Amino acid sequence: MVACVGALVASKTMRYLIAILALAGVVVSAMALHVHFCTDPQPCSINEKWDCGIVNHSAFAEIAGVPVAAIGIAGYLALGALAFWRQRALVFLIALAGLGFALRLTFIEEFALQVWCLYCVISQAVIALITLLSLGWVGTEYLALKRANCGGADGACAR
């Protein structure tokens, strides 16, 4: 009984943490989208190695005419909604895809542009945390289901 309550609390905590992080991802992606469409000097343009304007105005900032930051907003909104609806496996799969996409963009920043975007780095951290939390959320659910299928005096699992 105590294990079930603990799993429920952990599941609820993961759900809310993922939703909050997804909201943070929406905000940081919206800030990057603003930089994409704005030509004014940006507060995230710190020096020659940290310049969001260079990154967000590069040829890599759009895919088929859609700004990468807009794709990020859509992805984070989907993650937040799926977390709200308790879709653990989908949250994990989409977060994993988002992490792969973000790693690709990080690779481009490092090796193609040789300039970093502060908003992109923050987004990378957010999607990495969401991916780890969603893995923990799926794992917690798996263990709770496994425990529910185990029983008897000797604690052996039914096969």
Side-chain angles (χ1 to χ4, degrees):
M1 173 83 177
V2 173
C4 291
V5 172
L8 182 64
V9 170
S11 179
K12 194 172 190 178
T13 302
M14 297 285 195
R15 177 180 161 207
Y16 288 127
L17 282 173
I18 290 169
I20 290 167
L21 284 168
L23 180 60
V26 168
V27 170
V28 77
S29 293
M31 294 167 77
L33 187 63
H34 173 74
V35 172
H36 180 77
F37 288 114
C38 185
T39 57
D40 298 336
Q42 297 298 317
C44 60
S45 298
I46 301 167
N47 58 34
E48 66 278 350
K49 285 292 185 185
W50 290 89
D51 191 332
C52 294
I54 291 172
V55 173
N56 283 290
H57 294 121
S58 74
F60 301 103
E62 291 185 358
I63 296 175
V66 178
V68 169
I71 295 169
I73 291 170
Y76 284 122
L77 286 172
L79 286 168
L82 289 168
F84 181 75
W85 292 321
R86 297 180 184 95
Q87 299 298 311
R88 294 166 187 84
L90 282 174
V91 169
F92 175 67
L93 291 174
I94 291 173
L96 195 59
L99 180 63
F101 186 70
L103 287 170
R104 177 186 172 274
L105 296 173
T106 299
F107 183 84
I108 289 169
E109 285 181 323
E110 172 68 17
F111 297 106
L113 299 174
Q114 298 179 344
V115 175
W116 295 92
C117 169
L118 183 61
Y119 299 143
C120 300
V121 171
I122 293 169
S123 181
Q124 175 70 272
V126 169
I127 194 65
L129 285 171
I130 289 174
T131 303
L132 289 173
L133 285 171
S134 65
L135 178 61
W137 197 21
V138 169
T140 301
E141 179 67 14
Y142 172 76
L143 292 175
L145 288 172
K146 190 169 180 168
R147 279 190 209 111
N149 289 333
C150 292
D154 60 357
C157 290
R159 300 203 196 271

